[in-house]
Amino acid sequence: MKTVREEFSSKFGFLMAAAGSAVGLGNLLAFPVAAAKNGGGAFLVLYLLFVFLICLPIVVAELAIGQSTQQSPLSAFKHPKKSLAKPFWSFSGFLLTLTPFMIAVFYSVVTVWLLGYLTITLQGRLDQLANPDFFSAFIKSDDLFFYLIGLMFILGIILFQGVQKGIERSTKILMPTLFILIVALALFVLTLENSLIGLKFYLLPDFSKINLEVVNGALSQAFFSLSLGMGILITYGSYLNKKANINKSATMLAGADTFVAFFAGLLTLPAIFAIHPNTNPADLSTSSVGLIFSYFPKIFMEMQPFIGYTGASLFAGIFFSLALIAAITSLISIFEVAVATVRDHSDLNRHVTTFLTLIIIAICTWVLAQSFGRSDFLTNFIEYGGTNKSLFDLIVDIFYETILPFNGFLICIYVTYHWKNLSNNLEKNNLLTTYTNISLRSIVPLLLLTVFLSTVYSKYL
Ligand code: PHE
């Protein structure tokens, strides 16, 4: 027997849950560094344009698909009437279910490391984290297993309690906490000598740095940051009351996500330059993993002359907590896609479904975590594009770098065919509704397909 579908209890609750999904490691790390490397203010302008002109219509579309069908992605794309197109929609639904599952697994690996780093910092062992050999030994260590159990336990407590009492209640506390911490840390960092050099690289526009690769990167970053193409907003949309106003929520979500990304830049870049004023932004690693686990612990240790070891540990502890909150609230949303999918296609209740989801993702996470030296086979799994890749690299390349824009393209096609139905739930005579309708039939799918094809070409051929 099917129970009544769960629902968010308030607009604020929904917004915090959706912002929790959107604000993740992408905002805290990848965005500021991409901006500093690729033209500062010029990159920011480009990013803003992509968020509001290209990604916002897809946010509206995903939420509308969920709200109108009240289904998770696997069934939201089923097409009852036109039987010829049915396999295509089933395939789209399948891709939008598989993608979040795979992203959940690789993102969990990184979050497990993060939980480990926070724990070690709180034990007063920041100096060990700053040792250049620590990270490579840590990701091979057996300790990971305990952190994995710890992470699944935290996620389990939240997801077990359902949409209102679990997801909504936790994100209503965690997200404001994150906003406050990030602003507080940014204000502190800006008082340090030389921090303004970082601001210069972040904010002063250098349009000469903008090339095709930068444009491609900015669009992919905006797309990932808003959690698009992962079935998350379809699932969260399916928990919206049919009367809820999507247009406003979508705009506020895009605004909140961009606001946090912007503030993260006011924190991380001034911190780096306050310690190393001569850093060349071009030398900063583009990998969020490299930054957070190898570079930042060193930076934190080097804050000692200003604030002592305890102060540096406190700063590091707050920073890792911030990153952990961002990662966990993102994981909640992506795990929920799997929970909702199983529940929509079985009679299992939330507790059983959550338990199964956690166990299966935990096993896959454990397997993927072996790609860093614990298993030779998984570490040197495959070779393409001229390099040896681990299983972890392969999953990131396929599901994060390649498939996401393609999923966005599929959503555009779906919306084009079903606009009449979907637009019933959108505000009438509204600029965003009209723009969504026009852009999802023209410029947006064209751009996404171009990004998809160019990624395939540059990565695999
Ligand atoms: N927006 C998230 C980020 O920036 C993307 C994400 C969502 C990743 C959900 C995993 C799970 O990190």
Side-chain angles (χ1 to χ4, degrees), residues 21-27 103-104 107 221 224-227 230 232 257 326-327 329-331 333-334:
S21 173
V23 172
L25 298 176
N27 301 53
I103 292 183
Y107 210 81
Q221 171 69 26
F224 180 72
S225 187
L226 284 165
S227 300
M230 307 179 196
I232 292 174
D257 185 49
T329 49
S330 292
L331 281 180
S333 69
I334 209 157

Side-chain angles (χ1 to χ4, degrees), residues 3-32:
T3 42
V4 182
R5 194 169 193 81
E6 292 181 80
E7 223 172 56
F8 286 108
S9 72
S10 66
K11 207 161 121 186
F12 179 69
F14 164 74
L15 193 66
M16 287 301 105
S21 173
V23 172
L25 298 176
N27 301 53
L28 290 187
L29 302 158
F31 173 81

